[in-house]
Amino acid sequence: MANACAIDPTRTFACRNTSEATHLKLISTVLGFFTSAIGISSSVYLARLFRNSPAYSHTLLLIKCYSTGVILSASLVHVLPDASTALSDCRVASRGRPWRDFPFSGFVLMVGMLVALLVDVAAASASQVPQYAPIGHDEEEGKKGCAEQEEELARMKQRFVLKLLEVGIVFHSVIIGVTMGMSQNVCTLRPLVAALTIHLISGGVVLGGYIARAEFNMGTTMSMCVMFSVSTPIGIILGMLIFYLTGYNDSSVNALISEGLLGSLSSGILIYMALVTIIAVDFFHNKAILSKPWLKKASYTALVLGCASSSVLSLWT
């Protein structure tokens, strides 16, 4: 069985370079922190400065669509194929069933999407704040109190959902970071570093805009900005520590299995976030897009450009 295992030594040497992989991960740690910090902090400031500007809201939307295209392409064109290649390696198949016969990459991708869905469903259920009718001395006062209470409940719900959203983003960022930290495959890391940089700065811009609109106090705003900024670097460092402390052999069968499973899980989360959490919400429920055909076309164009710019990187990786 071992002799029948056809391995491309050129690609194996080119893709598995521990020193270059470590260098890429250190770069991504620094870039991840600064790009996310700059993106989210500048967005909070600008969103408060141009709070009522439609142009600023439209710009945020286009950046979000472009970032979504990068995420979708990175997951489908880069991360998932590398994960499938790792799990379909003949050395993994030589272990027999179930590694030889079961499509683990697709299965774990599905698990990642179901986990992301579970987080969304839990957040939606927890955010359903009960509404109570106001008690007023007359009908006019009651109507005024009802309107004020509805606005306050809507604001509370927005803040709560936003906090849960950031928890989900932080969890996802840590998982992606751990995956990068444990991987020694530079063919996977190169496009991930580029995609991660674009994703963090644009994601920070969008999240910062939401935080500013929710009108949190200064302490909460700063803590949310810090959590977003350090989540990916912490994940990368944690993955590197796991790699070195466990004596992880990057050329072993266990390394291929770990990279394949973690890559498939990350890809599932990324695909769900792109298609369900962002694209479906914006293109079918965003009032600005639905009421302005030119904005819908521009948003779709930004989405396609994001997919194309990330996909073209596969030609050199």
Side-chain angles (χ1 to χ4, degrees):
M1 181 70 73
N3 293 331
C5 186
I7 301 174
D8 184 353
T10 304
R11 178 166 177 80
T12 300
F13 177 78
C15 288
R16 295 196 171 276
N17 188 322
T18 303
S19 60
E20 185 180 352
T22 302
H23 183 65
L24 285 171
K25 285 182 280 189
L26 291 176
I27 290 176
S28 62
T29 301
V30 177
L31 280 178
F33 175 75
F34 282 105
T35 53
S36 55
I38 292 171
I40 194 169
S41 59
S42 61
S43 178
V44 169
Y45 173 75
L46 291 174
R48 289 181 175 177
L49 188 63
F50 302 102
R51 183 168 302 179
N52 299 318
S53 171
Y56 181 74
S57 299
H58 296 162
T59 302
L60 275 182
L61 180 61
L62 294 177
I63 293 173
K64 185 179 181 182
C65 290
Y66 180 85
S67 173
T68 303
V70 173
I71 296 171
L72 189 60
S73 174
S75 59
L76 289 171
V77 179
H78 298 287
V79 181
L80 183 60
D82 285 338
S84 299
T85 299
L87 291 174
S88 61
D89 188 278
C90 56
R91 289 172 291 173
V92 177
S94 65
R95 288 194 166 187
R97 303 184 65 182
W99 299 106
R100 184 182 65 239
D101 303 322
F102 192 76
F104 275 100
S105 57
F107 175 76
V108 177
L109 179 144
M110 179 182 68
V111 170
M113 298 180 73
L114 291 175
V115 169
L117 173 62
L118 179 62
V119 172
D120 268 4
V121 170
S125 300
S127 66
Q128 292 176 359
V129 183
Q131 299 185 9
Y132 301 94
I135 301 175
H137 294 292
D138 52 42
E139 185 177 352
E140 194 66 31
E141 184 180 346
K143 289 180 179 179
K144 182 179 179 181
C146 182
E148 292 176 352
Q149 189 179 42
E150 286 180 354
E151 289 178 4
E152 181 61 27
L153 285 172
R155 191 177 297 111
M156 290 172 59
K157 181 177 179 179
Q158 182 185 29
R159 291 174 179 174
F160 184 73
V161 171
L162 184 57
K163 288 180 180 178
L164 289 176
L165 174 64
E166 177 157 26
V167 170
I169 292 173
V170 167
F171 171 77
H172 155 259
S173 298
V174 171
I175 294 296
I176 296 295
V178 170
T179 304
M180 291 183 66
M182 292 187 67
S183 176
Q184 304 302 304
N185 190 329
V186 296
C187 295
T188 301
L189 288 172
R190 289 190 197 115
L192 268 181
V193 171
L196 189 69
T197 302
I198 297 173
H199 165 55
L200 286 177
I201 193 166
S202 55
V205 167
V206 174
L207 183 61
Y210 289 155
I211 292 173
R213 291 176 197 170
E215 299 179 351
F216 288 111
N217 58 45
M218 183 61 68
T220 303
T221 299
M222 289 184 65
S223 63
M224 294 181 77
C225 291
V226 171
M227 281 179 61
F228 175 77
S229 301
V230 303
S231 56
T232 302
I234 285 177
I236 296 173
I237 293 171
L238 181 61
M240 294 176 70
L241 286 175
I242 294 173
F243 175 82
Y244 289 111
L245 293 178
T246 59
Y248 189 75
N249 183 1
D250 63 306
S251 61
S252 69
V253 177
N254 289 333
L256 292 171
I257 292 174
S258 298
E259 289 179 6
L261 295 180
L262 286 172
S264 300
L265 182 68
S266 300
S267 185
I269 297 173
L270 287 169
I271 292 170
Y272 178 88
M273 289 183 65
L275 293 178
V276 179
T277 307
I278 305 176
I279 294 177
V281 172
D282 282 338
F283 282 87
F284 297 103
H285 300 284
N286 189 306
K287 293 181 180 179
I289 286 184
L290 294 176
S291 62
K292 298 177 180 178
W294 71 266
L295 185 59
K296 181 183 293 186
K297 294 176 183 177
S299 299
Y300 184 79
T301 301
L303 177 67
V304 172
L305 287 175
C307 290
S309 61
S310 178
S311 298
V312 77
L313 290 175
S314 62
L315 295 173
W316 296 281
T317 59

